[in-house]
Amino acid sequence: MADRGDPRAAARAPGRVSGSRRSLAGVWPAAVAGALAAGVAIAASELVAGLAQGAPSLVAAIGSLVISLQPPGAKDLVVNLFGTNDKLALNVLVVVAAVIVAALAGILAARRRWLGVVAFAAFGLLAGAAALRDPLASQALAVGNAAVAVIAGLVALLGLLGLASTAAARGGTDDPEAAFRSPEWTRRRFLIASAGTLGGVIVAGGVGRSLIDMHHADAVVSSSKIPAPLLAVPPLAVDQALAVPGITPLVIPNGDFYKIDTALLAPRVDPATWKLDVTGMIAHPLTFTYDELLAMPLYEQYVTIACVSNKVGDHLVGNALWTGVRLKDVLESAGVQPGATQIVGRSVDGFTVGFPTAWAMAPEREPMIAVGMNRQPLPTNHGFPARLIVPGLYGYVSATKWLSEIQLTTREAVDGYWVPLGWAKDAPILTQSRIDVPTDGATVRSGVVDIAGVAWAPDRGVTRVEVRIDNGPWQAARISRPISTATWVQWTLAWTTTPGAHNLEVRATDSSGDVQTDQLSDPAPDGARGHHRILVMVA
Ligand SMILES: Nc1nc2c(c(=O)[nH]1)N[C@H]1C(S)=C(S)[C@@H](COP(=O)(O)O)O[C@H]1N2
Ligand SMILES: [Mo]
């Protein structure tokens, strides 16, 4: 065993050493070749998607397919899915799954090359089929990109397997001379080729992804400008906002506004070719181009929208100044038939919402086809070129982004996207309130401390906010003068502290006198209930 460190000894020795190396040489390089080939296929397709307008990302297409395969009732699985992190996780999952399957395919292909060809062709068919489902992608480019991926992957697979099998064959020889001459070198060639491939995958994939992200970035489409509304709202008065450091602003800037949707990549809609159709149970079907929509009398209003997935105390809620066309005006010119009890909003990517016609037509609220957000054209992430904003309803039943169709139908005929997945069909926003300052777990100085936050009950309006400390008596907080019943309010209470740990709790009351319940419920199926409570330390 004195010669253990000598590679020549290892190569020469019969039995265990060379045997284990041989099986190692058989399985691992083949698996590595397969995994790298998957990387090449994916990187090539991401690069094509990044470079060619209308070429779909295969990773995103397969991710969307996975999303669309959610079983009915998978509501717990999908609570808060579609936050940015979950989308990243889904992309990573798709890539990791592809790499693992391809590693196995590599092992099979080491024995029989045609098995590798079959595996990569199957991947190409799956990815191509998934990409063809994307209504925004060019069909030819979807198929073409899948073909590019398969060919690039196979070239890498067969090339690397060729190197790996030379290495294995030479490594397995009993001829000491040949073994001394070759295995280290061929192994090294395989390793160099693998490392080079990996480097290429990282660069090509990285460039492709960055280009894709750039194309779908939350940019305001530069050519579009929204005209000033005929009816502009006055600027907010001084007493409409509270000046407590750290409090959530009354109006959330576009870049900070929460974003929730099922789109793995925000649809990039061309306003020059986009159309909005009004269809179904109406007297006169209507179609609007973007310019036609902008030429109509525009209206603006503050509306607080909220996501049904928002947990008590969380931030999937926001208030913005929306500019748009009155939905009622559009429906009146379309002539809604009496039996049309539901309005369905459909997006360019096939997402749907549904809400009662009666809710939209009620005199006390003004649903709109919004084209502007805080006096900017809608950002891509928030639905450019147009979206629905319906005061008082959770986003998943009302706030269709990238709107393409408004269909009048019956309540029974259509379920919106989330309804078969276990979420309520009727979904008014529940009364909620949140403590923003101090933050949960914070240590505050002794003395008088401002407790502050926001409370919402669109579109009933918040009339009262109360705070209690350590389950003591409820104390009325000061609230900002409401902008409208459709918007949230800020609230604050000056608290004279005592040392130690304290529980802070908030509740709101809406204009009908209903006090926010303290009975906790999950977000599914119709929104989270319960009071926001936090714990703070007074130093
Ligand atoms: N096209 C489309 N519109 C959509 C969604 C979607 O997945 N696709 N999600 C809805 C949900 S669940 C919510 S809460 C709101 C969020 O709007 P925001 O991202 O502008 O905040 O958009 C709604 N509109
Ligand atoms: Mo939502």
Side-chain angles (χ1 to χ4, degrees), residues 333-422:
S333 30
V336 177
Q337 292 172 16
T341 49
Q342 181 170 230
I343 301 173
V344 169
R346 195 166 275 114
S347 73
V348 298
D349 63 342
F351 176 83
T352 48
V353 305
F355 51 93
T357 309
W359 185 278
M361 294 311 257
E364 68 269 21
R365 61 181 69 95
E366 198 65 83
M368 65 205 301
I369 302 168
V371 292
M373 183 175 184
N374 294 326
R375 295 203 170 131
Q376 295 288 310
L378 283 178
T380 306
N381 275 341
H382 298 287
F384 182 87
R387 73 177 302 171
L388 289 174
I389 291 291
V390 184
L393 296 181
Y394 281 120
Y396 81 103
V397 293
S398 68
T400 316
K401 304 192 276 188
W402 314 293
L403 184 66
S404 62
E405 183 184 351
I406 296 170
Q407 179 195 2
L408 274 291
T409 179
T410 63
R411 198 72 177 130
E412 296 73 34
V414 179
D415 280 338
Y417 181 94
W418 286 108
V419 175
L421 295 167

Side-chain angles (χ1 to χ4, degrees), residues 49 52-58 60-61 64 127-146 216 265-269 348-349:
Q53 277 285 330
S57 154
L58 300 184
S64 299
L132 282 174
R133 292 173 64 253
D134 178 352
L136 295 176
S138 133
Q139 310 245 314
L141 286 173
V143 173
N145 202 10
H216 293 269
L265 294 166
R268 193 64 183 263
V269 178
V348 298
D349 63 342

Side-chain angles (χ1 to χ4, degrees), residues 7-83:
R8 290 161 58 183
R12 235 183 284 127
R16 269 188 57 186
V17 175
S18 74
S20 69
R21 171 181 285 185
R22 204 182 310 173
S23 65
L24 210 74
V27 175
W28 281 110
V32 167
L36 282 173
V40 169
I42 289 168
S45 68
E46 289 287 282
L47 196 58
V48 170
L51 290 173
Q53 277 285 330
S57 154
L58 300 184
V59 174
I62 293 173
S64 299
L65 184 67
V66 171
I67 290 175
S68 76
L69 293 177
Q70 289 166 81
K75 55 178 191 248
D76 291 333
L77 198 87
V78 295
V79 171
N80 271 351
L81 179 70
F82 310 131

